[in-house]
Amino acid sequence: MTMPSHTAPTPAPAAVPARPAVDWPGSLKDAATAAFVALLLTVPLVGLRTVDRPTGLSIEARPDEVIASIVLVFLGRLGLGLIRQGLALPVLVLALAAAAVGLALPMPTQVLRLVLVAGGGIIALRAAITLTTGRSKLSQAERDRRMDRVAAKVQHATKYIAPVAIAFAVALPLTPLADRQLLDIGILLLTYIMLGWGLNIVVGLAGLLDLGYVAFYAVGAYSYALLAHYFGLSFWVCLPLAGVLAACSGVLLGFPVLRLRGDYFAIVTLGFGEIIRIILVNWYQFTGGPNGISGIPRPSFFGIADFTRTPPEGMAAFHELFGLEFSPLHRIVFMYYLILALALVVNVFTLRVRKLPLGRAWEALREDEIASASLGINRTNMKLAAFAIAAMFGGFAGSFFATRQGFISPESFTFIESAIILAIVVLGGMGSQIGVVVATLLVIGLPEAFRELADYRMLAFGMGMVVIMLWRPRGLLAHRDPTILLHGGKTPRVNAGAAR
Amino acid sequence: MDYFIQQLINGLSLGAIYGLIAIGYTMVYGIIGMINFAHGEIYMIGAFVALITFLAMGALGITWVPLALVVMLAASMLFTSVYGWAVERIAYRPLRSSPRLAPLISAIGMSIFLQNYMQLLQGARSKPLQPILPGNLTLMDGAVSVSYVRLATILITLVLMVGFTMLISRTSLGRAQRACEQDKKMAGLLGVNVDRIISLTFVMGAALAAVAGMMVLLIYGVIDFYIGFLAGVKSFTAAVLGGVGSLPGAMLGGVVIGLIEAFWSGYVGSEWKDVATFTLLVLVLIFRPTGLLGRPEIEKV
Amino acid sequence: MSVTEMTETPLLTVEHLTMRFGGLVANNDVSFVARTGEITALIGPNGAGKTTLFNCVTGFYTPTVGRLSLRHPDGREFLLERMPGYRIAQSGVARTFQNIRLFGGMSVLENLIVAQHNKLMDASGFAIAGLFGLPTYAKAEKAALELAKYWLERVRLTEFADWEAGNLPYGAQRRLEIARAMCTEPVLLCLDEPAAGLNPRESGELAEILTFIRDARNPNGHRTGVLLIEHDMSVVMRISDHVVVLDYGRKISDGDPTSVKNDPAVIRAYLGEDEDAELPPEVAGDLPASVVHPAPKEI
């Protein structure tokens, strides 16, 4: 598109001229317009709150918040406008001051503090960029190129970081740091990393936007729970079965819809995800309905030993087998290693398959389906394979989830869960394995670290998705290195994906 | 027979609501080729604005029902369309030339944001409202009774549809809108302000969704911050069923889905009605991806 | 140049091919043959149905009526009209596209390796043997790399092998697309306007590549026949051995370049003389487009 896409009436020069006259009326008018929009946005929903009273619903006015938001929007917009007109330095000082005020002084609400600090910070950052680069705003392409260079560096550094990170992950439970809470967070993060890597096969490699990945996670979880419940099968029998069942459901669901175009495909997978959830809720006799299934057996030590103090008949106790003091932590540590191993299996699979015809065909399909067909690639089979393999990994993760929680219900498999996994893949940079790890730390790790702000967790999550997409539409660490080189990287390569 | 007619009316009014939301999806898809995932949330905002307006008028002592309804409708359409505009301006416009997935992800983020924004501001509990427009119209010697609200929903939707069709087919705005749908670049070269037209598309879609939100509030008397998701997906189904890009198709799709839901709930059981809708979506996409009234699309080589 | 090889058995036989889109007849009862060791050019004014016919041959459309048979040098025969697109590609028909379709985000070399997908897929045992790094796959990949190098050399892209394909200059992208098609080791190479957008020097290079493909044996010992659609008459007249002319979906002429050039029916079709009165108005409206076409100068 070559359409002018800026409606802002301020002139936006490419480089800051020596000392242009500041267009005060224009800037003020622009800021006032923004403030007016803010007024319209906030009056009904922020300014008037519904309150539950014993007599029924009533309403409460909050004019202060409306005024505060209008003032902040006005100042923020004015600041951004002035940065563009060469007043970056004063704006930088003022924005930093605002952020400092937000940090230091007591505020009526946490939100106001957050807005002051974050808003002031962002504007200050903009101003600082303008001061250092002489440009008010990097163009999308330039920003993309710079980020691509960063991503390339990160990916090349992964060669050295990855063994260290894995060694760290392996050593973590053995350190005195490892208490129950830390291990739980570790398990949670690893579960999402595994899911992210699994979905990355479908979304990142094959380019199929799957909005219902959680369905396979659910199939895996319920497979184990139900097989254990009805047939008393052990976790180690059920883990592969759950993978197989999830893969089968992937083929079953995938077969009719794989020839649909991108967006339609996304919506249909969403529909399938919902269908599976609704079935779980409504098939009361079989799945326990909304109450879910509880008392799911915990895994044993590869069927040899049990983690309880007094193991059942015919089973050794883990601590006795290894001559350790009994500790409930043993099982958690075992679970931690289990999910670490499962996640690494997915990772190794993806890294290897990218160099195989299967993986290359997926990437080719992502790039151009018609050209792929013209080379004799069977589109349906390739996509089905991607779908089934990703589903299988989702199934593994699901049965791990079931055995870790000991309780599952359809609540755990809502659309938002799919959206979170997808966000991890897309924010990290589609197809980037390290991106999944970084994005998981951001999306799951950060909110875990700021539990007191739990109310704002999903709000920030949604906003984060939008902001990262605006900032870098291809994802934070999106960068692709060829899977095979002729010259071993000796000849200079131009690698600006943005040029496409 | 009376039960049948009852369900028919229920289905039609429900379908009218889905249809109104579906128009927003279909117009946006037609003009910028993206699924506005946050549209369901826009409808939810419409319902909340209507509720808050009603409560505010109650606090001001305005209780004359016709006036209250008109003010609710106007306020809801106005404020909601500002939200529609802002969503496009903030989350979609900068991504026009980005990879295809980016705007969709941004839309999903927006949808999650708006849901939680509403939950934080107005609370997570569902909001009950006493019936504003009680009473039934009895037909066939009392065998069938139809609530006024449902009748009003059907009527208002019909009026809006006629007006809206006129707007799109007769005015210069509608012409510009259709031109952008065909070819944005060319329309821009011919002096159409494409950005403005796209903004207006979002505003119109949001206004219609706001009407749907208000109707749901009046019919069911209870809303919460989560109503947008399911209604959004179903309305998108309606848009696909009718043929994406086709306005009458969206309405038709909405009515079909409304009727299926009403009859399914009435004769089979309400637990599985969502499965019926989603299954329909899947079947339509597989066997007739262009929808009932959509134009066929040939794979271009 | 190689008209003497006309005696070779037909590689592609098109018989009574008709393709309708609703009421529109894009191809009407077209029959011709293309042979190994020849470059067969399909020409005609805009809207003559060339691309439609092409898409029928390469499996993107299924013809309404007619038979398309492909006969390999070893005698195997395939009925193309019954196969889905990817099967046709597997049976030895490769193609390029009018608006280049490369895997832009992948490297030049990867484009050529992807083209050998089916061969490698078998060698990797549907990825399972490959996952465990069995030697059969390593060997197959090495062979694939050799073939890719061979064609990189032929289209002079070796030094660009590790570039992102999308970043190549336009002319190089055209050449890469041909190399990619050749990496499928086809018996028939179909080119959709390969010279479009090339400057004279580049189209000269293209002609060289095409005659090389026609005359040389591929690394696997087979030869490849060439079928091309082209608007650039200088290219057509220079390199093609056999020309088929379409107009309004029908074949109006068929033969070697010289005889076709002098065929009155062809001249009429390109210059559109005094038949306008008989044509339906919507078709007549199209005529100026074909008259202003650069081709007539050459004919």
Side-chain angles (χ1 to χ4, degrees), chain B residues 167-181 192:
Chain B
L167 181 75
I168 293 294
S169 60
R170 298 283 164 82
T171 64
S172 64
L173 167 69
R175 241 189 327 272
Q177 209 261 353
R178 281 179 290 143
C180 290
E181 217 165 280
V192 175

Side-chain angles (χ1 to χ4, degrees), chain A residues 36-367:
Chain A
F36 180 65
V37 172
L39 175 77
L40 289 180
L41 288 177
T42 49
V43 157
L45 297 180
V46 180
L48 298 167
R49 305 283 178 81
T50 51
V51 197
D52 292 306
R53 294 260 164 71
T55 50
L57 219 50
S58 88
I59 203 156
E60 207 176 80
R62 300 272 182 84
D64 48 334
E65 291 181 17
V66 174
I67 292 168
S69 52
I70 292 170
V71 170
L72 286 175
V73 166
F74 181 81
L75 291 177
R77 182 80 196 185
L78 189 64
L80 288 177
L82 292 179
I83 290 175
R84 267 186 235 129
Q85 300 184 48
L87 287 180
L89 194 62
V91 172
L92 174 66
V93 174
L94 286 175
L96 284 178
V101 165
L103 269 182
L105 297 186
M107 286 288 147
T109 58
Q110 283 296 321
V111 181
L112 191 59
R113 184 193 299 277
L114 213 66
V115 168
L116 266 181
V117 174
I122 291 172
I123 293 174
L125 193 70
R126 270 278 178 85
I129 291 176
T130 309
L131 280 178
T132 49
T133 63
R135 264 177 298 181
S136 62
K137 203 175 162 189
L138 294 177
S139 75
Q140 180 77 49
E142 174 63 20
R143 203 166 51 199
D144 217 39
R145 257 195 301 282
R146 288 184 179 204
M147 284 302 290
D148 194 70
R149 277 202 291 276
V150 174
K153 277 198 194 118
V154 171
Q155 287 205 355
H156 294 157
T158 311
K159 250 181 272 162
Y160 313 105
I161 299 172
V164 177
I166 292 171
F168 172 75
V170 170
L172 180 70
L174 308 175
T175 59
L177 274 174
D179 57 356
R180 166 129 208 190
Q181 201 194 345
L182 188 70
L183 285 175
D184 275 342
I185 291 181
I187 291 174
L188 184 74
L189 287 176
L190 285 168
T191 312
Y192 276 100
I193 288 176
M194 174 171 179
L195 287 169
W197 277 339
L199 185 62
N200 207 3
I201 296 171
V202 179
V203 180
L205 291 185
L208 301 165
L209 183 59
D210 183 353
L211 288 181
Y213 191 54
V214 80
F216 306 124
Y217 190 46
V219 169
Y222 270 87
S223 297
Y224 172 50
L226 293 172
L227 285 171
H229 184 79
Y230 286 106
F231 301 105
L233 295 180
S234 84
F235 176 73
W236 296 104
V237 178
C238 290
L239 183 69
L241 277 181
V244 169
L245 284 172
C248 288
S249 65
V251 172
L252 224 62
L253 300 189
F255 198 71
V257 300
L258 279 172
R259 59 201 180 88
L260 296 175
R261 273 189 303 133
D263 296 353
Y264 284 0
F265 177 82
I267 291 293
V268 172
T269 50
L270 187 155
F272 271 143
E274 283 298 299
I275 289 178
I276 289 203
R277 197 180 61 81
I278 297 169
I279 290 174
L280 293 179
V281 171
N282 286 324
W283 199 356
Y284 200 87
Q285 304 86 330
F286 187 57
T287 64
N291 301 335
I293 302 171
S294 52
I296 300 168
R298 304 298 184 148
S300 61
F301 184 72
F302 301 113
I304 306 167
D306 200 72
F307 288 102
T308 44
R309 192 184 289 275
T310 47
E313 199 67 24
M315 186 82 92
F318 177 78
H319 60 284
E320 282 167 4
L321 195 71
F322 286 86
L324 299 168
E325 191 76 2
F326 173 78
S327 157
L329 216 54
H330 286 159
R331 177 162 53 213
I332 314 276
V333 172
F334 179 69
M335 296 262 203
Y336 174 87
Y337 281 128
L338 180 60
I339 187 69
L340 180 64
L342 283 172
L344 286 178
V345 165
V346 183
N347 185 30
V348 169
F349 171 83
T350 308
L351 292 180
R352 288 212 72 125
V353 85
R354 276 195 67 207
K355 296 182 195 289
L356 292 176
L358 183 63
R360 293 205 180 107
W362 287 339
E363 295 203 70
L365 280 173
R366 181 193 64 202
E367 299 283 324

Side-chain angles (χ1 to χ4, degrees), chain C residues 106-126:
Chain C
M106 300 170 85
S107 79
V108 169
L109 183 61
E110 282 175 313
N111 269 271
L112 301 184
I113 302 277
V114 168
Q116 304 174 54
H117 170 81
N118 287 304
K119 201 171 61 183
L120 289 171
M121 203 69 189
D122 288 344
S124 77
F126 207 87

Side-chain angles (χ1 to χ4, degrees), chain B residues 8 19 54 59 63-64 74 106 108 110 123 130 152 160 203 249 270:
Chain B
L8 187 72
F54 180 76
T63 47
W64 190 48
S106 180
I108 293 174
M110 217 7 142
Q130 77 277 23
L160 275 175
V203 165
S270 64

Side-chain angles (χ1 to χ4, degrees), chain B residues 81-285:
Chain B
S81 47
V82 179
Y83 271 91
W85 178 85
V87 165
E88 192 269 337
R89 186 70 188 77
I90 293 169
Y92 305 155
R93 188 177 296 178
L95 291 174
R96 289 258 177 85
S97 54
S98 299
R100 205 176 38 78
L101 283 185
L104 186 60
I105 301 292
S106 180
I108 293 174
M110 217 7 142
S111 157
I112 294 173
F113 172 80
L114 288 175
Q115 254 179 41
N116 288 278
Y117 169 79
M118 191 61 87
Q119 185 190 356
L120 275 177
L121 290 174
Q122 305 291 347
R125 304 217 352 228
S126 55
K127 309 286 167 195
L129 184 71
Q130 77 277 23
I132 301 176
L133 205 62
N136 291 303
L137 182 69
T138 46
L139 294 169
M140 306 203 310
D141 304 327
V144 179
S145 73
V146 182
S147 70
Y148 287 128
V149 191
R150 285 189 186 271
L151 278 183
T153 302
I154 298 172
L155 277 178
I156 290 179
T157 306
L158 278 178
V159 170
L160 275 175
M161 274 312 289
V162 170
F164 195 69
T165 313
M166 300 282 268
L167 181 75
I168 293 294
S169 60
R170 298 283 164 82
T171 64
S172 64
L173 167 69
R175 241 189 327 272
Q177 209 261 353
R178 281 179 290 143
C180 290
E181 217 165 280
Q182 298 286 320
D183 188 338
K184 281 199 286 296
K185 208 173 231 171
M186 196 61 216
L189 289 174
L190 292 175
V192 175
N193 185 342
V194 177
D195 279 332
R196 218 184 100 220
I197 296 296
I198 293 176
S199 284
L200 272 170
T201 306
F202 276 85
V203 165
M204 290 188 288
L208 292 179
V211 178
M214 177 176 149
M215 294 305 168
V216 160
L217 177 71
L218 294 182
I219 292 179
Y220 296 101
V222 55
I223 55 171
D224 62 49
F225 72 97
Y226 198 63
I227 56 172
F229 174 68
L230 209 55
V233 176
K234 284 183 187 166
S235 307
F236 180 78
T237 308
V240 171
L241 182 62
V244 169
S246 153
L247 295 182
M251 212 58 228
L252 178 69
V255 169
V256 169
I257 291 201
L259 288 175
I260 288 177
E261 255 185 43
F263 283 110
W264 196 280
S265 312
Y267 290 96
V268 184
S270 64
E271 311 92 69
W272 297 99
K273 70 177 177 2
D274 294 342
V275 172
T277 320
F278 288 125
T279 312
L280 181 74
L281 170 69
V282 174
L283 290 178
V284 168
L285 280 178

Side-chain angles (χ1 to χ4, degrees), chain A residues 352 355-358 360-361 364 367-368 370 372-374 376-378 480 483 485-487 492-495 499, chain C residues 60 86 89-90 101 103-106 110 113 117-118 120-121 124 131 137 141 149 158 161-164 167:
Chain A
R352 288 212 72 125
K355 296 182 195 289
L356 292 176
L358 183 63
R360 293 205 180 107
E367 299 283 324
D368 192 327
I370 289 177
S372 305
S374 84
I377 293 174
N378 185 337
R480 184 178 181 282
T483 56
L485 289 173
L486 193 63
H487 304 295
R493 280 190 301 111
V494 177
N495 227 340
Chain C
F60 285 88
Y86 74 91
Q90 287 174 358
R101 284 180 172 270
F103 306 122
M106 300 170 85
E110 282 175 313
I113 302 277
H117 170 81
N118 287 304
L120 289 171
M121 203 69 189
S124 77
L131 274 180
Y137 174 66
E141 195 182 37
K149 276 193 204 160
T158 308
D162 297 334
W163 277 44
E164 225 172 63
N167 288 335

